[in-house]
């Protein structure tokens, strides 16, 4: 058996991330999970935690807080696109690129703050609540 190995030594975080994204083919990992440890995601998780919320960065990660205080990364991206960027059609149909090429645009830390995300999360919960009342 021959096993091919490529070793690249670097301490440049951006290069590490670029290599991870470009060579992700053996056991496919979703772009969302590849971005889970990105500084933007970590900063957002920390800011939300300081406000009593838990940010679920990876698929399969569980929250120890109730749903109203838990924000999933995928839902966060959808909330940002739909409510904050005015792109509801992309929020539903373009979930892959929000964690790929569009990640830094969608989760722009100069625009998306934990407080703003909480407001969008609460608005979505209110809309869903009203929708269920109407059914």
């Amino acid at each position: 058996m021959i096993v091919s190995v490529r070793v690249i030594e670097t301490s440049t975080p951006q290069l590490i991330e670029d290599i991870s994204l470009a060579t992700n083919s053996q056991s496919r990992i979703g772009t969302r999970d590849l971005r889970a440890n990105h500084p933007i995601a970590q900063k957002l998780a920390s800011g939300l935690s300081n406000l009593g919320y838990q940010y679920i960065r990876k698929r399969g990660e569980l929250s120890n807080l109730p749903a109203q205080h838990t924000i999933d990364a995928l839902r966060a991206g959808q909330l940002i696109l739909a409510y904050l960027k005015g792109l509801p059609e992309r929020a539903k149909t373009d979930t892959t690129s929000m964690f790929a090429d569009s990640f830094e645009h969608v989760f722009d830390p100069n625009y998306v703050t934990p407080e703003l995300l909480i407001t969008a999360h609460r608005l979505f919960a209110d809309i869903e609540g009203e929708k269920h009342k109407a059914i």
Side-chain angles (χ1 to χ4, degrees):
M1 174 190 273
I2 297 174
V3 177
S4 178
V5 177
R6 182 182 317 160
V7 178
I8 301 170
E9 183 177 346
T10 181
S11 60
T12 307
Q14 185 61 50
L15 181 58
I16 293 168
E17 184 174 327
D18 290 346
I19 291 169
S20 295
L21 291 170
T23 61
N24 176 31
S25 62
Q26 184 73 27
S27 7
R28 234 30 211 155
I29 300 172
T31 53
R32 169 194 171 163
D33 293 336
L34 287 171
R35 296 289 190 179
N37 292 321
H38 189 282
I40 290 174
Q42 291 178 338
K43 184 177 179 183
L44 194 53
S46 175
L48 286 166
S49 178
N50 291 339
L51 296 170
Y53 283 75
Q54 185 165 355
Y55 185 61
I56 303 296
R57 295 182 288 162
K58 297 179 187 178
R59 285 175 298 146
E61 188 177 349
L62 301 175
S63 176
N64 56 358
L65 296 176
Q68 64 264 28
H69 286 271
T70 300
I71 302 175
D72 181 81
L74 176 60
R75 175 61 46 86
Q78 290 174 319
L79 293 172
I80 293 164
L81 285 173
Y83 297 126
L84 307 179
K85 302 233 179 211
L87 300 168
E89 68 286 349
R90 278 195 56 206
K92 263 314 210 194
T93 62
D94 198 10
T95 58
T96 302
S97 76
M98 77 173 73
F99 291 101
D101 298 338
S102 301
F103 180 77
E104 291 183 9
H105 171 70
V106 173
F107 291 89
D108 180 357
N110 297 314
Y111 180 70
V112 178
T113 64
E115 295 83 3
L116 197 56
L117 190 52
I118 289 169
T119 300
H121 176 68
R122 288 178 179 165
L123 175 62
F124 179 77
D126 289 347
I127 291 169
E128 285 295 298
E130 290 300 316
K131 186 171 85 174
H132 290 299
K133 285 181 191 176
I135 294 176

